[in-house]
Amino acid sequence: MKELISAISTALGRGGVAIIRVSGEGALSLAKKMFSRKGEFVPNMMYPGEIDCGQFRDYGMCVYFRAPKSFTGEDVVEFHCHGGQEIARGVFLKTLALGARAAERGEFTKRAFLNGKLSLSAAEGMADMINAESRAEVRAGYSLYTERLTQEGKRLQALLTTCLASIDADVDYPEEDLNADSRAEISEKLHEVEGKLTALLGEYRTGKKIKSGVSVAICGRPNAGKSSLLNALLGYEKAIVSGIAGTTRDVIEGNLEIKGVLFRLTDTAGLRESADEVEREGIRRAKRVIDTADVIVYLKEEETPPAFPEGVPVITVGAKCDLERKVDCDILLSSVTGEGIEELKTLLFERGYGQESDVFLLEERHFLALTEAKAAVCAALEAVESGLPAELYAEDVKRAWEHLGTISGETASESVITEIFEKFCVGK
């Protein structure tokens, strides 16, 4: 990891400032060759001056971070030049000419992980923040980045370590008759671990909605006002609105943020029997959207609503209330006047997402690791409470400890680590 790497860390294109980051052994020597400062570089000080880009110069700034007090844990230098594709590229190419190599995707963050500057889950939280499509995802990613999940995992690992120590004592010193007391202690701690794992796993449904968005199916009979409602919620004309029944033949999507949470709205074809082949395909797609939705908005008229998937919240809407069309439903609204639109957004948030919560279980990898850890803890508990020998449940406890270690990266495989950092952009 001592190899010197370099990358443009800001987005390419015109802008106020571009940043070129260099990390590894020799970063400071490279800076002295490229930057006009004559004296010594004091760490963490930003210096103004000329940057030698080879075929041209730029007036910018340079800062040096001395290992281990840097993002990567290595010597790091950053050049801050004027924003512009060719200026940044010129600085970057000059660093390569002086001995650095181009960094791979996520290599700076990977070095930070390998040097103990952050955990694997913290790195994933950083990626979630960078790729966030909503404020809720930024908040949840920040919770991961600040080691919330890692700290929980380590606390549970500590409890399992205590259990393993008791098990080892029972196995190594059977003549001390420690078995009864240690079994009770082990059982108590395993119950504590199981309870916390259950609580964490319960957050995943909400975390998944934060990461992927809450999917909303807008459905009803033809000409019920579905497309008008989609346009009213989005605030612009996304779907074609017509008085002709069956205008919408395919699913039409749009994104809406409510209280920082992303809602993915889908307008669907009207639900009815049809002899038209194209319309039938649209209805088939509409039913597929309904089957996978987190919440359903059903524009109800006088008909009996169809059977919807069990357990999925349904908001019944009486649309076109400006035309005095009123039915028994959750909310009356008008897409023309805007009446009831804000109330519908509130219902969408309450039924599709829930209450505001501090969630940090976003990644499927974490969910699977905690699921495996819980299964191992439950197996160990059953063995303990059945009075089986300690040797028979020691492996289950160890397996739970190892699964928890994959969250921080302590026991993660090289292939998992590589896959995670390949999701990052170059320069991060």
Side-chain angles (χ1 to χ4, degrees):
M1 290 195 301
K2 293 181 179 181
E3 193 175 9
L4 196 61
I5 58 172
S6 175
I8 301 172
S9 292
T10 45
L12 293 176
R14 296 178 182 177
V17 177
I19 299 174
I20 294 80
R21 177 182 289 168
V22 181
S23 179
E25 195 172 278
L28 181 59
S29 297
L30 182 146
K32 290 178 177 179
K33 294 174 184 175
M34 287 184 62
F35 197 69
S36 61
R37 177 169 175 76
K38 300 300 183 185
E40 289 298 314
F41 281 79
V42 176
N44 309 318
M45 292 285 290
M46 185 80 81
Y47 295 102
E50 282 193 342
I51 306 171
D52 180 3
C53 306
Q55 297 181 351
F56 62 89
R57 290 175 176 268
D58 183 36
Y59 192 84
M61 307 189 81
C62 182
V63 58
Y64 163 57
F65 303 98
R66 184 162 56 200
K69 295 182 179 181
S70 70
F71 173 71
T72 63
E74 306 169 337
D75 278 358
V76 172
V77 166
E78 288 182 359
F79 297 101
H80 295 230
C81 62
H82 286 99
Q85 187 166 325
E86 287 307 313
I87 300 174
R89 187 167 176 269
V91 177
F92 170 62
L93 291 176
K94 182 64 174 181
T95 65
L96 299 188
L98 291 175
R101 69 160 173 82
E104 298 174 358
R105 296 174 69 89
E107 190 169 2
F108 290 96
T109 310
K110 185 176 183 179
R111 290 188 177 200
F113 163 67
L114 295 174
N115 287 324
K117 304 298 288 186
L118 77 171
S119 70
L120 200 56
S121 64
E124 290 169 289
M126 183 191 302
D128 287 335
M129 292 174 67
I130 293 170
N131 297 317
E133 296 183 68
S134 68
R135 286 170 288 161
E137 192 174 357
V138 172
R139 290 195 298 267
Y142 185 73
S143 290
L144 263 184
Y145 177 61
T146 53
E147 308 284 9
R148 291 285 302 282
L149 185 58
T150 296
Q151 289 167 6
E152 284 294 335
K154 286 185 177 298
R155 189 179 72 82
L156 297 180
Q157 279 185 299
L159 290 172
L160 294 176
T161 299
T162 302
C163 291
L164 288 170
S166 296
I167 291 170
D168 287 343
D170 287 347
V171 172
D172 293 340
Y173 304 103
E175 70 281 356
E176 298 294 333
D177 197 22
L178 303 172
N179 201 44
D181 291 339
S182 63
R183 273 182 186 276
E185 181 186 358
I186 290 168
S187 178
E188 180 183 348
K189 285 182 166 48
L190 289 179
H191 274 295
E192 183 179 349
V193 173
E194 183 200 12
K196 185 57 183 179
L197 289 173
T198 299
L200 286 171
L201 288 168
E203 293 183 355
Y204 181 62
R205 184 178 177 85
T206 301
K208 191 173 182 181
K209 289 179 182 179
I210 290 175
K211 191 171 179 65
S212 304
V214 180
S215 59
V216 181
I218 302 175
C219 61
R221 291 186 61 77
N223 210 25
K226 301 182 296 298
S227 298
S228 295
L229 178 57
L230 175 70
N231 292 342
L233 286 168
L234 296 178
Y236 64 93
E237 293 188 7
K238 174 77 173 184
I240 297 173
V241 176
S242 167
I244 302 172
T247 298
T248 301
R249 299 295 186 93
D250 202 353
V251 296
I252 301 172
E253 299 175 340
N255 293 341
L256 172 69
E257 194 170 301
I258 305 174
K259 296 183 182 180
V261 178
L262 180 66
F263 286 74
R264 300 190 185 275
L265 312 178
T266 304
D267 176 23
T268 63
L271 301 175
R272 66 174 177 179
E273 296 296 326
S274 175
D276 184 284
E277 183 179 350
V278 176
E279 188 177 2
R280 283 205 310 272
E281 174 60 21
I283 294 168
R284 187 186 69 79
R285 295 185 182 189
K287 290 179 178 177
R288 186 171 62 194
V289 169
I290 292 169
D291 287 342
T292 58
D294 294 314
V295 61
I296 296 168
V297 175
Y298 178 66
L299 276 67
K300 182 182 177 184
E301 297 185 295
E302 297 299 334
E303 79 285 354
T304 302
F308 291 118
E310 187 176 349
V312 179
V314 178
I315 301 172
T316 55
V317 171
K320 305 181 183 180
C321 69
D322 55 310
L323 302 178
E324 302 299 323
R325 293 176 59 177
K326 297 184 179 181
V327 292
D328 182 25
C329 56
D330 292 319
I331 187 170
L332 296 173
L333 59 78
S334 168
S335 299
V336 175
T337 66
E339 180 183 348
I341 295 297
E342 291 304 315
E343 289 85 347
L344 176 57
K345 290 180 182 179
T346 299
L347 274 180
L348 279 171
F349 186 86
E350 290 175 353
R351 298 192 187 179
Y353 177 72
Q355 300 300 314
E356 292 280 4
S357 56
D358 187 12
V359 175
F360 46 83
L361 189 64
L362 303 178
E363 305 293 335
E364 184 179 9
R365 184 182 78 83
H366 301 161
F367 175 77
L368 294 175
L370 293 181
T371 300
E372 293 289 344
K374 181 181 175 181
V377 168
C378 289
L381 260 175
E382 184 178 356
V384 171
E385 294 176 352
S386 297
L388 296 178
E391 297 93 326
L392 296 182
Y393 51 83
E395 285 304 315
D396 290 321
V397 177
K398 289 177 184 176
R399 185 157 53 91
W401 190 95
E402 288 170 357
H403 283 300
L404 287 171
T406 64
I407 290 174
S408 65
E410 190 174 357
T411 59
S413 67
E414 182 61 33
S415 61
V416 168
I417 293 170
T418 299
E419 181 181 349
I420 287 170
F421 289 106
E422 284 179 347
K423 296 178 183 178
F424 282 79
C425 60
V426 174
K428 190 55 182 172

